[in-house]
Amino acid sequence: MPASVLFCLVIAIADGDTLTARCGPPSAPRKMHVRIAAIDAPERRQAYGERARQHLVSLCYRQRAAIQPLNKDAYGRTVAHVRCRSTDVNAAQVRAGMAWVYTPYAKDFPQLAPLQRQARAQGRGLWSQRRPMPPWEYRHRYATARSKP
């Protein structure tokens, strides 16, 4: 059974798939770093990275968010399904061409793959590029380049 939904205020947007929210009672709020489930947005230095971040800002920044935690990632962030102003943020980022469906973790989000196919077919967002590089490849390449002497 999924965890209960938390109602929080989004206080920061790190990139196109990560945000920070303040959750809990006003007398004892706690910060939560949230990785949006089942999507992977371009890195900020990558093509469309800043646009993906700005799109998430337009959806969620300083808005109440319904955050449904699913698990934790390797960096201690809460991986969650997120809704801002009743918009499914996972789907909105994919629909706008601002994120890839992250297939290894998308089995519980079957609605995302058709949205990605549609965004790609219509050349939306990152799909307007001739050969967009998935963020996981970009991170691997960047990490490899950084580690070389």
Side-chain angles (χ1 to χ4, degrees):
M1 185 164 123
S4 57
V5 175
L6 305 170
F7 294 96
C8 308
L9 176 67
V10 176
I11 57 173
I13 307 290
D15 58 29
D17 57 29
T18 310
L19 56 83
T20 302
R22 190 170 50 229
C23 306
S27 58
R30 63 183 178 89
K31 265 189 194 177
M32 177 184 289
H33 298 288
V34 178
R35 174 74 161 75
I36 299 167
I39 67 171
D40 200 358
E43 296 298 316
R44 283 185 68 177
R45 290 181 160 186
Q46 188 178 358
Y48 280 86
E50 191 53 37
R51 289 186 209 178
R53 180 184 171 280
Q54 286 302 322
H55 190 256
L56 187 54
V57 165
S58 72
L59 292 170
C60 292
Y61 185 61
R62 292 189 174 170
Q63 299 298 316
R64 277 180 47 110
I67 298 173
Q68 183 178 16
L70 303 171
N71 53 38
K72 293 271 189 188
D73 71 6
Y75 303 100
R77 297 174 298 191
T78 299
V79 177
H81 183 240
V82 179
R83 296 183 82 80
C84 294
R85 288 185 280 205
S86 75
T87 297
D88 178 335
V89 175
N90 312 53
Q93 286 294 82
V94 172
R95 183 183 297 113
M98 296 297 153
W100 270 261
V101 175
Y102 197 53
T103 311
Y105 296 101
K107 70 174 176 50
D108 293 331
F109 297 88
Q111 74 279 16
L112 295 179
L115 293 175
Q116 178 170 290
R117 284 192 294 275
Q118 187 176 43
R120 189 174 197 163
Q122 295 175 353
R124 279 193 231 124
L126 62 89
W127 300 110
S128 66
Q129 301 170 89
R130 228 175 76 192
R131 291 175 41 211
M133 181 184 295
W136 53 91
E137 285 181 21
Y138 178 87
R139 286 189 296 270
H140 178 74
R141 238 180 236 186
Y142 181 67
T144 303
R146 250 193 355 218
S147 65
K148 289 183 180 174

